[in-house]
mmCIF file with all atom_site columns, all heavy atoms in Angstrom:
data_model
loop_
_atom_site.group_PDB
_atom_site.id
_atom_site.type_symbol
_atom_site.label_atom_id
_atom_site.label_alt_id
_atom_site.label_comp_id
_atom_site.label_asym_id
_atom_site.label_entity_id
_atom_site.label_seq_id
_atom_site.pdbx_PDB_ins_code
_atom_site.Cartn_x
_atom_site.Cartn_y
_atom_site.Cartn_z
_atom_site.occupancy
_atom_site.B_iso_or_equiv
_atom_site.pdbx_formal_charge
_atom_site.auth_seq_id
_atom_site.auth_comp_id
_atom_site.auth_asym_id
_atom_site.auth_atom_id
_atom_site.pdbx_PDB_model_num
ATOM 1  N N   . ALA A 1 267 ? -41.095 -23.370 39.705 1.00 0.00 ? 294 ALA A N   1
ATOM 2  C CA  . ALA A 1 267 ? -40.310 -24.571 39.970 1.00 0.00 ? 294 ALA A CA  1
ATOM 3  C C   . ALA A 1 267 ? -40.114 -24.785 41.463 1.00 0.00 ? 294 ALA A C   1
ATOM 4  O O   . ALA A 1 267 ? -40.195 -25.922 41.957 1.00 0.00 ? 294 ALA A O   1
ATOM 5  C CB  . ALA A 1 267 ? -38.955 -24.454 39.259 1.00 0.00 ? 294 ALA A CB  1
ATOM 6  N N   . LEU A 1 271 ? -41.482 -28.013 43.642 1.00 0.00 ? 298 LEU A N   1
ATOM 7  C CA  . LEU A 1 271 ? -40.539 -28.914 44.315 1.00 0.00 ? 298 LEU A CA  1
ATOM 8  C C   . LEU A 1 271 ? -40.641 -28.876 45.829 1.00 0.00 ? 298 LEU A C   1
ATOM 9  O O   . LEU A 1 271 ? -40.036 -29.692 46.519 1.00 0.00 ? 298 LEU A O   1
ATOM 10 C CB  . LEU A 1 271 ? -39.091 -28.543 43.899 1.00 0.00 ? 298 LEU A CB  1
ATOM 11 C CG  . LEU A 1 271 ? -38.722 -28.766 42.434 1.00 0.00 ? 298 LEU A CG  1
ATOM 12 C CD1 . LEU A 1 271 ? -37.330 -28.230 42.149 1.00 0.00 ? 298 LEU A CD1 1
ATOM 13 C CD2 . LEU A 1 271 ? -38.816 -30.249 42.085 1.00 0.00 ? 298 LEU A CD2 1
ATOM 14 N N   . LEU A 1 288 ? -44.248 -23.038 30.848 1.00 0.00 ? 315 LEU A N   1
ATOM 15 C CA  . LEU A 1 288 ? -44.106 -23.061 29.396 1.00 0.00 ? 315 LEU A CA  1
ATOM 16 C C   . LEU A 1 288 ? -44.569 -21.741 28.780 1.00 0.00 ? 315 LEU A C   1
ATOM 17 O O   . LEU A 1 288 ? -43.964 -21.234 27.821 1.00 0.00 ? 315 LEU A O   1
ATOM 18 C CB  . LEU A 1 288 ? -44.904 -24.238 28.828 1.00 0.00 ? 315 LEU A CB  1
ATOM 19 C CG  . LEU A 1 288 ? -44.830 -24.424 27.303 1.00 0.00 ? 315 LEU A CG  1
ATOM 20 C CD1 . LEU A 1 288 ? -43.396 -24.680 26.866 1.00 0.00 ? 315 LEU A CD1 1
ATOM 21 C CD2 . LEU A 1 288 ? -45.743 -25.568 26.865 1.00 0.00 ? 315 LEU A CD2 1
ATOM 22 N N   . ASP A 1 354 ? -41.852 -5.366  0.843  1.00 0.00 ? 381 ASP A N   1
ATOM 23 C CA  . ASP A 1 354 ? -41.615 -6.785  1.104  1.00 0.00 ? 381 ASP A CA  1
ATOM 24 C C   . ASP A 1 354 ? -42.873 -7.347  1.764  1.00 0.00 ? 381 ASP A C   1
ATOM 25 O O   . ASP A 1 354 ? -43.300 -6.871  2.816  1.00 0.00 ? 381 ASP A O   1
ATOM 26 C CB  . ASP A 1 354 ? -40.394 -6.937  2.027  1.00 0.00 ? 381 ASP A CB  1
ATOM 27 C CG  . ASP A 1 354 ? -40.022 -8.389  2.269  1.00 0.00 ? 381 ASP A CG  1
ATOM 28 O OD1 . ASP A 1 354 ? -40.855 -9.122  2.838  1.00 0.00 ? 381 ASP A OD1 1
ATOM 29 O OD2 . ASP A 1 354 ? -38.907 -8.775  1.913  1.00 0.00 ? 381 ASP A OD2 1
ATOM 30 N N   . ILE A 1 401 ? -54.119 7.279   23.981 1.00 0.00 ? 428 ILE A N   1
ATOM 31 C CA  . ILE A 1 401 ? -52.796 7.428   24.589 1.00 0.00 ? 428 ILE A CA  1
ATOM 32 C C   . ILE A 1 401 ? -52.639 8.874   25.033 1.00 0.00 ? 428 ILE A C   1
ATOM 33 O O   . ILE A 1 401 ? -52.913 9.800   24.267 1.00 0.00 ? 428 ILE A O   1
ATOM 34 C CB  . ILE A 1 401 ? -51.675 7.052   23.597 1.00 0.00 ? 428 ILE A CB  1
ATOM 35 C CG1 . ILE A 1 401 ? -51.898 5.638   23.041 1.00 0.00 ? 428 ILE A CG1 1
ATOM 36 C CG2 . ILE A 1 401 ? -50.300 7.162   24.241 1.00 0.00 ? 428 ILE A CG2 1
ATOM 37 C CD1 . ILE A 1 401 ? -50.976 5.275   21.887 1.00 0.00 ? 428 ILE A CD1 1
#
Side-chain angles (χ1 to χ4, degrees):
L298 294 174
L315 181 61
D381 184 298
I428 305 170

